[in-house]
Amino acid sequence: MRIKLGCRIGYTLAAPTPMVALLNVHYSRFADLEGPDHLHTSPGVPVTSYRDMFGNWCARCIAPAGEFEISTNCIIRDSGEPDPYVPDAMQHAVEDLPSETLTCLLGSRYCDTDLLSETAWTLFENTPPGWERVQAICDYVHNTVQFGYEHARNTRTASQTLTERVGVCRDFTHLAITFCRCMNIPARYCTGYLGDIGIPLPHAPGDFAAWMEVYLGGAWWTFDPRNNQRRIGRVLIAQGRDAADVPLTNTFGRADLTRFEVWTDEIA
């Protein structure tokens, strides 16, 4: 299938403000793009790009004072298949894990493993290791936390999500990642596009989504504790230890959000 995707984000700025944006499709999907997903700004300003420590493509610019918009729009080809399901994917012993996965076992800004380790083992010690254990974690988070945009708070940690039992997709993801890491399963945070392809109406307004990837059976696999079902048309933008590593935009100064549009539409 072909999917048209993109975004338009607007700000009001009191002064010229440096900005970093992670809005380009992840390099692992470059070959699926029908054309480059260049970032556009209004008014136009010079934009330079670099790769961060996780390999994500980042764009930086200086946004002028006043009204400013940053946008992208492209078409990507997708298999049309739902997220993979590999129930026999095994959990590795820590000593057998590739060295590059070990960072994804450690605590991070929003994934406070030190506070949730005992809880994780109490909840999941008796689940079968591997895919079934990760699914049990996703089931628990999905059934325990109530989703609502009114619950959004950008400082909420995984342990606070468990205590408050409310949040948005990033909070579901942080809690599930933290439980996985506590159970010695490498897990990383992902952000990207996830439309409503294959989902019955009504649909909520377009938004970016957060999910996680876990390392099982020698590969990284997608799990989505917020939706807790296999979805079609998931398009990765960036990966990191948690949301602190992959903010969609990061402004180094006051910036008031005035516009936020995201679209992910199947092309017939």
Side-chain angles (χ1 to χ4, degrees):
M1 69 169 55
R2 299 167 72 229
I3 302 172
K4 181 178 182 180
L5 53 80
C7 65
R8 183 177 294 108
I9 305 173
Y11 297 95
T12 298
L13 304 161
T17 304
M19 177 180 295
V20 175
L22 281 77
L23 295 171
N24 293 103
V25 171
H26 193 259
Y27 69 84
S28 61
R29 298 295 304 270
F30 278 180
D32 298 325
L33 290 170
E34 293 192 358
D37 61 335
H38 293 310
L39 292 184
H40 301 276
T41 67
S42 178
V45 298
V47 177
T48 59
S49 298
Y50 67 95
R51 291 200 184 279
D52 65 13
M53 69 180 73
F54 305 102
N56 303 311
W57 194 243
C58 308
R60 61 186 298 188
C61 66
I62 300 178
E67 302 299 315
F68 180 74
E69 284 190 356
I70 187 167
S71 63
T72 184
N73 190 42
C74 64
I75 295 175
I76 193 167
R77 296 182 297 272
D78 191 81
S79 68
E81 297 295 324
D83 298 324
Y85 174 63
V86 189
D88 59 348
M90 59 172 284
Q91 180 173 336
H92 298 272
V94 173
E95 59 268 27
D96 296 329
L97 286 168
S99 298
E100 62 270 18
T101 69
L102 297 180
T103 299
C104 296
L105 286 179
L106 307 178
S108 55
R109 168 67 179 86
Y110 295 108
C111 299
D112 39 2
T113 53
D114 52 337
L115 298 182
L116 290 182
S117 180
E118 184 176 348
T119 300
W121 281 95
T122 299
L123 290 171
F124 306 112
E125 182 176 12
N126 295 322
T127 58
W131 192 280
E132 192 169 341
R133 175 168 288 169
V134 177
Q135 187 57 59
I137 289 171
C138 289
D139 291 344
Y140 178 86
V141 172
H142 180 79
N143 293 328
T144 300
V145 182
Q146 177 186 348
F147 179 87
Y149 287 111
E150 69 275 15
H151 303 311
R153 190 176 77 240
N154 61 9
T155 60
R156 183 182 288 119
T157 64
S159 62
Q160 290 170 339
T161 298
L162 184 61
T163 299
E164 298 170 18
R165 307 210 167 197
V166 295
V168 292
C169 57
R170 63 178 265 159
D171 301 307
F172 284 71
T173 302
H174 285 148
L175 181 55
I177 286 173
T178 304
F179 281 149
C180 285
R181 292 177 183 174
C182 290
M183 302 304 295
N184 297 328
I185 302 170
R188 63 191 182 191
Y189 184 95
C190 300
T191 185
Y193 293 95
L194 180 62
D196 296 299
I197 297 171
I199 302 300
L201 292 169
H203 296 158
D207 196 0
F208 291 108
W211 61 88
M212 68 176 182
E213 291 177 347
V214 302
Y215 191 82
L216 297 170
W220 291 96
W221 303 103
T222 295
F223 285 83
D224 185 347
R226 153 70 177 104
N227 295 293
N228 206 29
Q229 59 178 299
R230 298 165 68 204
R231 295 286 294 270
I232 296 170
R234 196 183 299 272
V235 179
L236 179 68
I237 290 178
Q239 302 161 329
R241 292 166 298 186
D242 59 29
D245 291 330
V246 290
L248 293 164
T249 59
N250 197 354
T251 56
F252 298 87
R254 178 174 175 177
D256 297 323
L257 184 68
T258 58
R259 186 172 189 176
F260 185 83
E261 299 176 49
V262 181
W263 52 90
T264 312
D265 302 317
E266 181 182 3
I267 300 174

